[in-house]
Amino acid sequence: MYERETEQLQKIIDDSSRIVFFGGAGVSTESGIPDFRSADGIYHQKYKYSPEQVVSHTFFMKYPEAFYEFYKDKMMCLDAKPNAAHLKLAELEQAGKLMAVVTQNIDGLHQAAGSRTVWELHGSIHRNYCMECGRFYDARYVKNSEGVPRCECGGLIRPDVVLYEEGLDQNVIRGAVEAIAAADTLIIGGTSLVVYPAAGFIDYFRGKHLVVINKSSTGRSVRAELSISAPIGEVMSGLHV
């Protein structure tokens, strides 16, 4: 399945030396991590508060107990393993083909697969800090804590993830934009391209090949040279480096 599209993608990769991958939640669904916007995603499940409310700065500060109940249950999938897409991207980087991964995901699976240059637009569940003293805590500490995780100093621990109402990290923005602007090929995978400002980053691409791999249609037309409506892991696993 998808042999013809994979062949086309293989030719593009063979013709490229500065690939950048821009990915979203669909990259990790094949690892068992739920996305937000698909038909069975988190936004379509029934909660007392909408997920958009829960993962907002205001909600976190006002109702940390309810925030962490949702966050630990739905967003901290610590037993998830990298899938074929993560592994192939790491392989492409090791081969000198891929310059960077720009991801909207917070699960750390690209790094777990071996990718080194990863720009995490929305942060990571694996970095957590005390809001009082700045002490670092890993994801296991947060996940296994009773209720709201607290520092030894008594301060509230918060994850290093970008909540609604918060801005993206300027250094991460700069790194992601510079990588995309310098790429000869941009592969967009597993994202609906509806979350801004992240979705706007692809406007910096001026290279030769633009590819989209996503199960559903994207939220904006990007005039891709190649569009593949398929699970990204299935497509990427058919590539050779």
Side-chain angles (χ1 to χ4, degrees):
M1 196 177 282
Y2 316 117
E3 289 89 350
R4 186 178 59 80
E5 292 94 336
T6 303
E7 270 181 39
Q8 289 177 266
L9 180 56
Q10 184 69 60
K11 286 177 184 173
I12 290 172
I13 286 173
D14 292 342
D15 185 49
S16 307
S17 58
R18 298 189 312 280
I19 302 168
V20 168
F21 179 81
F22 182 97
V27 179
S28 293
T29 51
E30 290 170 69
S31 294
I33 295 178
D35 71 351
F36 270 64
R37 289 178 172 77
S38 68
D40 56 352
I42 290 173
Y43 276 139
H44 296 273
Q45 298 175 20
K46 301 298 181 192
Y47 290 97
K48 183 179 177 183
Y49 303 99
S50 74
E52 209 160 43
Q53 280 179 289
V54 176
V55 291
S56 69
H57 177 84
T58 299
F59 193 94
F60 172 74
M61 297 303 295
K62 198 170 181 182
Y63 307 110
E65 296 89 354
F67 170 88
Y68 269 113
E69 184 181 356
F70 176 88
Y71 179 76
K72 290 181 194 178
D73 184 40
K74 292 296 180 184
M75 300 180 75
M76 299 191 78
C77 304
L78 301 190
D79 296 325
K81 301 285 187 258
N83 61 52
H86 299 107
L87 296 169
K88 187 60 68 174
L89 290 166
E91 197 181 335
L92 285 165
E93 183 186 43
Q94 288 154 15
K97 282 274 190 182
L98 185 133
M99 293 168 45
V101 169
V102 179
T103 181
Q104 299 173 84
N105 297 337
I106 60 174
D107 51 49
L109 290 181
H110 285 292
Q111 291 92 330
S115 289
R116 294 178 178 275
T117 305
V118 182
W119 296 105
E120 296 174 306
L121 298 178
H122 298 148
S124 173
I125 61 170
H126 297 284
R127 297 188 299 269
N128 305 274
Y129 299 96
C130 171
M131 296 181 71
E132 295 293 327
C133 71
R135 180 171 175 171
F136 172 87
Y137 289 89
D138 65 15
R140 286 279 171 203
Y141 180 90
V142 171
K143 179 91 168 178
N144 296 334
S145 60
E146 290 275 336
V148 177
R150 294 277 176 184
C151 177
E152 288 183 4
C153 78
L156 173 64
I157 295 171
R158 72 152 283 171
D160 185 17
V161 298
V162 179
L163 304 175
Y164 286 104
E165 304 166 349
E166 297 178 340
L168 305 188
D169 182 279
Q170 291 301 310
N171 290 328
V172 175
I173 290 175
R174 190 178 307 113
V177 165
E178 287 176 358
I180 291 168
D184 60 6
T185 293
L186 178 62
I187 301 174
I188 300 168
T191 175
S192 55
L193 292 179
V194 297
V195 177
Y196 280 81
F201 285 20
I202 62 173
D203 294 333
Y204 291 94
F205 178 64
R206 295 290 182 269
K208 188 175 179 183
H209 304 292
L210 180 57
V211 178
V212 174
I213 309 169
N214 198 48
K215 284 204 287 188
S216 58
S217 61
T218 57
R220 51 176 285 183
S221 172
V222 294
R223 298 181 187 169
E225 172 186 343
L226 175 63
S227 290
I228 307 175
S229 297
I232 188 166
E234 284 187 41
V235 174
M236 298 293 282
S237 63
L239 301 171
H240 60 263
V241 178

